[in-house]
Amino acid sequence: MDLKLLEETLDDLGEPGYRFDQVWGWTAKGVASYDEMGNVPASVRAALTERVPFSTLELTDQQVSQIDGTVKALFHTTKDRRPVEAVMMSFKDGRSSLCLSSQSGCPLTCTFCATGTMKFGRNLTHSEILDQALHFRRMRAVDHVVFMGMGEPMMNIDNVLATCAKLPDVGVTNRRTAISTVGWLPGIERLIDEKMPVRLALSLHAPDSELRSQIMPVNERYDMEAVLEACTRYGEKTNRDIFIEYVMLERTNDEIFQAHQLGRLLDPKRFKVNLIPYNPTGSIYDASSRQQIHDFRTVLEGYGLRTTVRVNRGRDIDGACGQLAAKAMADADDPAAADERAAAAIDAAA
Ligand code: SAH
């Protein structure tokens, strides 16, 4: 729901200020239409149905993993038909976690990630991000959100933070919200100035700068040393651990000497490591073996680093980390236009 349009429309209808809170309150609780909003007068409900579309996204496709019940939704923005994907993971203990997208496509070109290979569309508005969460909220209660879907959230930090401000109404507190970044420094600095205690995760993926630049070109712009320093400051300010994400690529970043490098690099009091088994995306890499991941982890633990291995979910529906590329949608416009948009987005966010 376009919350700005909602506000303007209610204003235009001469409705009292509390009407916005009523309508948003129902929406955040997962009702499926204006008609279910008991305390909103019928005439207002009718006017809203006419004038404010219930979602800024149209659901195009939805797949459920046969393996673990993970749900992947493909939407298109109603405004300009940009593809957007989001994922819901439900766990045995009753928790359910949403993986949301902040951009349609991604302007960065991490070499192992499928999203970077699709055409970049644009930053999503905060209503378009929120509508992903509301879609799943209409299916069940949700309690965790990670910004690990398509795109680089720190390049769209204003809209991401505006979403975080509304998520508690949907059932997800800031403390249960995590923003994952490639290390886009201006966004991290901006987060440090905020008061929202969201969790920060850094996609590091290499223990030294040279290798990192090879597999994540963004490291040339914002070097990992400066990024780790900014993450440390955020950790100190919020008194929360910072997650390091590290995708395990065979014979690229998974050697034992690299585990030692990483162990020396990270302060175990501040950082936790999450090793991510590589999901096939048609890139040049192969996945590390389970044994290699195990051995790498053992070395890190020797340095006192709390280390987990991510359980990959939704692989059979291309819904796992790095696999979101909106395969179902071949973007119609030409690649040069997409490249231009990507370059403009990078300039705007830098
Ligand atoms: N741009 C942000 C948010 C996306 S998060 C970021 O990169 O942090 C997506 C996570 O999945 C990141 O940690 C990313 O590095 C990881 N990932 C990307 N491709 C992957 C793949 N093929 N297999 C496993 N993880 C991958």
Side-chain angles (χ1 to χ4, degrees), residues 253-264:
N253 66 358
D254 71 344
E255 310 275 0
I256 292 305
F257 79 90
Q258 292 167 318
H260 285 286
Q261 273 182 300
L262 193 59
R264 287 191 295 269

Side-chain angles (χ1 to χ4, degrees), residues 99-100 102-103 106 108 110-115 146-154 179-183 201-205 216 244-249 274 276-283 285 310 312 315 320-324:
C99 178
L100 304 184
S102 53
Q103 300 179 313
C106 185
L108 304 176
C110 301
T111 50
F112 46 82
C113 179
T115 309
V146 293
F147 283 92
M148 295 189 187
M150 288 178 173
E152 170 49 43
M154 293 297 184
I179 300 180
S180 177
T181 178
V182 297
L202 172 67
S203 293
L204 188 64
H205 306 318
M216 299 176 74
I244 296 292
E245 294 165 276
Y246 195 100
V247 62
M248 296 292 287
L249 307 171
N274 193 211
I276 313 178
Y278 168 71
N279 294 305
T281 55
S283 79
Y285 303 107
R310 185 171 294 176
N312 269 320
R315 266 194 192 191
C321 304
Q323 292 187 315
L324 299 186

